[in-house]
Amino acid sequence: MDPDDAPSRPNDALALLVRQDLDPLSVAELEARIAALSTEIARTRAKIEHAVNHRASADALFRR
């Protein structure tokens, strides 16, 4: 993500994350960062799936 495309809220965690300078980090720190971000991506995808399924269930309930 280009830092210029980050969310517009200045204290947004994602905005701060994409603006962080990676140069001072070691390879091990970068790998740990990737692992943490991969876990967060999986958690976010699960939340999206839950929200979509919840919405579909609500829509089905109210169509009856």
Side-chain angles (χ1 to χ4, degrees):
M1 173 183 275
D2 186 9
D4 295 331
D5 294 336
S8 60
R9 295 179 295 167
N11 292 330
D12 183 71
L14 183 57
L16 297 173
L17 181 71
V18 300
R19 288 187 180 103
Q20 184 181 9
D21 183 15
L22 300 179
D23 288 339
L25 300 178
S26 69
V27 171
E29 290 169 321
L30 291 169
E31 289 174 347
R33 180 183 175 103
I34 289 170
L37 291 171
S38 295
T39 300
E40 183 61 14
I41 288 168
R43 187 175 79 95
T44 304
R45 286 189 172 142
K47 178 64 176 175
I48 290 170
E49 183 177 346
H50 178 278
V52 168
N53 291 339
H54 183 73
R55 175 62 189 251
S57 296
D59 287 346
L61 176 68
F62 290 108
R63 279 192 207 134
R64 291 183 180 198

